[in-house]
Structures are given as C-alpha cells and as structure tokens.
Amino acid sequence: MDPAAVLARYDLQMRRNARPDAPGARIERAGAVVRQVAGERGWNGVVWSGLDAAGADRAIAEQIAYFSDLGLDFEWKLYGHDAPEDLGERLSAAGFVAEEPETLMIGEIADLTLEERLPDGVRLVRAADAAGVDLVVAVHERVFGTDGTALRDHLLARLTAGPGAVFAVVALAGDEPVASARLELVPGGDFAGLWGGGTVAEWRGRGLYRALVAHRTRVAAAHGCRHVQVDASAMSRPVLERVGLHALATTTPYLYKKR
C-alpha cells in the first residue's frame, strides 16, 4: 500500500467529496470548506478545509457565525496534515475545545489478516431492526459511559434509508450483549468505515474486538470496498496494527458550543 496515495484518495473521496452520513443531513461547500448540516439530532461539522494562513481565521469565523445562526453546536474535524500548520491553535483561540486525538488507520482489505475466532458460547448477530439496535446501544452505553440516544437515532435512520448503508453487529454471550460495532458504507466508494467497536470490560482480552474487525471487513469486501478505515483510540490501535492497518494521520475533534 502506498500511504501517501491512499491518504490523498481518502481525502478526496471521504472529505472533499463527502456524502451525508444520514437521511435528512446535507453536505454544503462554502469556499474552501466542506461541512455537514444535520440538525439537532445529527452530526454537524466541518469535514474538510483547504485553507491558508491568510484566510484561515476568516473561514473559522464564518463557520462559527453560520452554525450559530442555525442554533447548532458543531465539530471541526481536524486532521494532522490539514493546513495551515497552526489550524488547531487558531480553532482553540476562536473558542473551540479539542477532544482527545485519534489515529486515522487504513488498511487494504486484500492485505489484512482476518481472524474471526470467538470465545465459546459467543455468537455474532446482525442488528437489522429496532431490537437489534437496542442491543448495540446497550453495549455502547456500558463501554463508553455515554447516552446512546444519538447512536440509536442514527442507526435506525440509516437502516430505514436502506439495508446497504450500515451494517451493525452485536456479540451475544447467551442472551447478553457483550460487544458491538458497525460498518458504514459509501456506495461506489473505496473506503468502508469501521465505527463504534467496543467490548464490555469483563469480556476484553478474548479476541472479540479483532473478530468484529474481521467480520465487518469481510462484509465490506463483499460490497466491493478496497479499504477499511478506523479513527482509532490508543486502546484499539495495537490490535488494528496486528491486523495490518496503517497509521496515516492524526484526527482531532474540535468542538464549538453555541452561545
């Protein structure tokens, strides 16, 4: 895999030519900024920018004014290679708050080592209806300690829009949900997103996360995708490196709360 070429293609397909991530959301292009607007219940933010030092502060102020007029909080999703080099500092000075950085990891599916070995008594089940989504959300809330309402709304909207948009899966030990994750697909795109992978504390270290990566990657391959990509935490990065994904960039959410 040529990391520079893959990163350039990722930026073009997934950021500059981004598509809405849910029904009712829209992608807008405002000068050198690409943003998504999805209302109170969706994700709002900047997915790509092509700025320089002379115009960055003005562009930041324009996005703040735009989303503030809509009454929406929003995120500026900053990648480590975005220009200008001090864009993060400029965002902080404008009132954004940076969350923990993650690592953009991408792997060419044909080169990955995919092992789907599950602990005894555990099975993977696709979450294709409201009951299945509730199981996914239950794991999410236990693992991440956050309210899963937005995730529930997102998954139900994507499932309603069409069966090929999202693939959610839950690992069940008997009837207990112990791990879950989702795969998000872009029709005709090279990249499939592996999102939300998590395992409840007492089941970690038994290969469930790696099995979920393998399971979703095979689904992505069946849909014609060439690559899978993950915004990886420090905890998941070592597992993904063993599978064969490569760290290509950092990504940091900068959040702006409406005043």
Side-chain angles (χ1 to χ4, degrees), residues 50-60 82-87 90:
L51 304 176
D52 57 24
D57 290 336
R58 181 176 65 254
I60 291 169
D82 289 345
E85 291 185 1
D86 63 349
L87 183 53
R90 293 171 185 260

Side-chain angles (χ1 to χ4, degrees), residues 119-122 142 173 176 178-179 199-208:
D120 291 342
V122 176
R142 287 180 65 186
E176 179 189 3
V178 295
T199 304
V200 300
E202 56 270 31
W203 281 87
R204 290 174 190 160
R206 306 192 200 186
L208 282 172

Side-chain angles (χ1 to χ4, degrees), residues 10-247:
Y10 173 86
D11 280 343
L12 179 63
Q13 288 190 19
M14 304 301 290
R15 303 181 65 205
R16 295 186 68 169
N17 294 326
R19 300 187 189 186
D21 72 357
R26 65 183 185 271
I27 295 295
E28 299 179 342
R29 288 165 177 83
V33 168
V34 178
R35 65 193 177 211
Q36 174 170 291
V37 182
E40 289 283 355
R41 300 175 74 88
W43 184 87
N44 302 283
V46 173
V47 296
W48 178 84
S49 65
L51 304 176
D52 57 24
D57 290 336
R58 181 176 65 254
I60 291 169
E62 288 171 352
Q63 298 313 306
I64 291 173
Y66 179 81
F67 282 103
S68 295
D69 285 347
L70 295 176
L72 297 172
D73 300 337
F74 74 106
E75 174 186 323
W76 194 301
K77 191 170 176 64
L78 178 68
Y79 289 75
H81 57 287
D82 289 345
E85 291 185 1
D86 63 349
L87 183 53
E89 296 172 18
R90 293 171 185 260
L91 290 169
S92 296
F96 288 79
V97 176
E99 294 198 327
E100 287 296 315
E102 295 181 313
T103 303
L104 172 65
M105 302 189 70
I106 296 178
E108 189 157 0
I109 292 174
D111 295 338
L112 301 183
T113 301
L114 303 177
E115 295 181 6
E116 197 174 323
R117 292 182 292 185
L118 295 168
D120 291 342
V122 176
R123 68 190 191 280
L124 298 183
V125 177
R126 183 175 182 183
D129 55 21
V133 168
D134 284 344
L135 293 175
V136 172
V137 171
V139 173
H140 176 88
E141 292 183 334
R142 287 180 65 186
V143 171
F144 299 106
T146 57
D147 180 78
T149 300
L151 175 61
R152 179 183 289 106
D153 291 345
H154 175 77
L155 288 175
L156 290 175
R158 293 294 300 269
L159 289 171
T160 300
V166 64
F167 181 94
V169 62
V170 61
L172 296 176
D175 293 326
E176 179 189 3
V178 295
S180 68
R182 70 185 189 276
L183 170 75
E184 303 218 358
L185 299 160
V186 177
D190 289 334
F191 299 88
L194 305 181
W195 296 99
T199 304
V200 300
E202 56 270 31
W203 281 87
R204 290 174 190 160
R206 306 192 200 186
L208 282 172
Y209 182 81
R210 186 163 182 163
L212 288 170
V213 170
H215 188 78
R216 289 175 292 162
T217 298
R218 290 192 175 98
V219 173
H223 281 80
C225 298
R226 181 177 176 183
H227 301 280
V228 289
Q229 64 94 6
V230 185
D231 287 352
S233 67
M235 180 180 295
S236 59
R237 177 172 173 169
V239 178
L240 295 167
E241 287 176 333
R242 288 195 292 272
V243 171
L245 277 76
H246 301 270

